[in-house]
Amino acid sequence: MTSTTVTSDVPALVFVDDLAEGFGAPARPFHGASPFHRADPASTPIDVLDLGITRGDGVFETAGVNHGHPQAIDAHLARMARSAALLDLPAPRIEVWRRAVQEAIEAWGSDGHGAAKLIYTRGIEGTGVPTGWVYVWAEEPEGPIERRDGITVVLLDRGYRSDVAKTSPWLLQGAKTLSYALNQATLREAQRRGADDAVYTSTDGFLLEGPHASLILRFGDEFITPGTDQGILKGTTQGDAFDWLEGQGYGVGARQVRVEEFAAADAAWLVSSVRCAVPITRVDDREMAIDRQVTDGLNAFLLERDC
């Protein structure tokens, strides 16, 4: 019998009520009153004074969803807790968020490939009470096309040195915050330059990350990603990709990568939770070949993760 993947076009929304330590109901066994509740995304009751909306004051995570399960959810929840700590937000109740994600996936009602976005904000201005919700929707149609055909990128200066996280921690480099206006502006600039996406560089000449993805470069039988000590986000998908690559017998590592090393790379990818591993076919004016064997094997693994 041939299995059929069902994909729902109707998104799902769950609000997290008991979301952080020190707020809402105390930690308790999960029976009786639920620590979260479903809502209608078509008439979302989000307050217009929420600081996540008015100031981008909050953090988020986006996890892939497949076969009714979130992918790499432990890594995403751990990273959300780290981002919250950098923003001086109360520690999130990890187990409540985990259950809320599964509730939203069940409300979505699909076994296809999608995404779960976890939003955690400082809350309504003046209340001091944080807010949070989980939103699940289907993968965009261009996802499979990008994984197959690749994307073009341009190198764009981030405007900071590679040591910015150490010299200026208040700039929140390395936290996944809701303040994504600069990331979106980066994508628009890349498109104005005739490319699909971008890779940030530091002012002192190192490769960093994409506005929405981690960078992986292949040099022979070794795969390298820029180190997170340069104020870039620790990639959950990049970590899973390295686990798979090591299992195939390749070497992996994280370090500072000079901008000029891009020209010596045999292949390159931008990797993220929903798009998975997207091969880079051109960086600035230099064409790059798609490593089809690694790309196809890596995406087969990433798309089928159930944890």
Side-chain angles (χ1 to χ4, degrees):
M1 182 174 65
T2 303
S3 62
T4 301
T5 297
V6 179
T7 301
S8 172
D9 292 329
V10 180
L13 174 66
V14 167
F15 278 89
V16 189
D17 303 309
D18 186 12
L19 79 172
E21 300 295 340
F23 293 90
R28 60 190 185 281
F30 292 108
H31 54 76
S34 175
F36 43 78
H37 67 277
R38 296 184 184 186
D40 181 3
S43 56
T44 306
I46 296 176
D47 197 293
V48 296
L49 295 180
D50 193 297
L51 288 165
I53 297 172
T54 61
R55 296 185 183 272
D57 194 357
V59 301
F60 78 99
E61 284 290 327
T62 304
V65 174
N66 201 36
H67 302 316
H69 299 284
Q71 298 177 313
I73 190 61
D74 289 341
H76 282 289
L77 290 169
R79 191 170 66 179
M80 186 172 77
R82 289 194 298 271
S83 294
L86 287 171
L87 268 69
D88 297 318
L89 286 166
R93 294 192 192 278
I94 296 299
E95 189 56 32
V96 173
W97 280 93
R98 187 194 313 278
R99 286 172 51 87
V101 170
Q102 194 60 50
E103 179 79 7
I105 293 172
E106 292 174 6
W108 183 46
S110 169
D111 64 353
H113 191 59
K117 181 166 285 189
L118 294 68
I119 306 288
Y120 177 29
T121 87
R122 204 170 300 277
I124 299 170
E125 191 163 8
T127 67
V129 179
T131 58
W133 59 91
V134 180
Y135 187 67
V136 179
W137 74 101
E139 179 186 25
E140 300 297 328
E142 62 266 22
I145 298 172
E146 290 180 337
R147 287 191 288 272
R148 182 194 66 203
D149 298 341
I151 58 172
T152 60
V153 304
V154 291
L155 300 181
L156 294 178
D157 188 348
R158 186 178 64 174
Y160 300 136
R161 287 176 49 87
S162 59
D163 58 357
V164 62
K166 301 172 185 176
T167 63
S168 309
W170 54 88
L171 294 178
L172 301 179
Q173 295 301 305
K176 196 171 179 68
T177 76
L178 290 172
S179 304
Y180 253 49
L182 292 177
N183 304 64
Q184 297 304 103
T186 299
L187 289 177
R188 292 193 296 273
E189 178 61 25
Q191 290 159 8
R192 278 192 287 268
R193 299 187 184 201
D196 302 310
D197 212 317
V199 171
Y200 286 124
T201 64
S202 67
T203 57
D204 50 342
F206 294 98
L207 295 171
L208 300 172
E209 60 188 339
H212 292 169
S214 303
L215 175 66
I216 294 178
L217 300 160
R218 179 175 186 173
F219 300 97
D221 287 336
E222 185 177 28
F223 290 76
I224 296 296
T225 192
T228 56
D229 58 348
Q230 300 170 94
I232 64 179
L233 198 66
K234 180 177 176 59
T236 59
T237 306
Q238 173 267 311
D240 285 342
F242 271 21
D243 288 343
W244 181 84
L245 288 165
E246 282 190 297
Q248 303 304 305
Y250 296 109
V252 299
R255 62 172 174 82
Q256 284 192 315
V257 185
R258 301 291 315 186
V259 169
E260 53 267 25
E261 290 185 72
F262 217 140
D266 298 306
W269 297 262
L270 285 179
V271 298
S272 58
S273 295
V274 181
R275 291 198 299 177
C276 295
V278 178
I280 294 173
T281 61
R282 190 183 75 232
V283 53
D284 290 338
D285 295 327
R286 180 193 172 229
E287 301 293 330
M288 298 192 73
I290 295 178
D291 186 326
R292 181 56 59 196
Q293 181 177 356
V294 169
T295 298
D296 292 348
L298 183 54
N299 278 319
F301 164 74
L302 292 173
L303 284 165
E304 292 302 316
R305 291 171 298 163
D306 281 341
C307 61

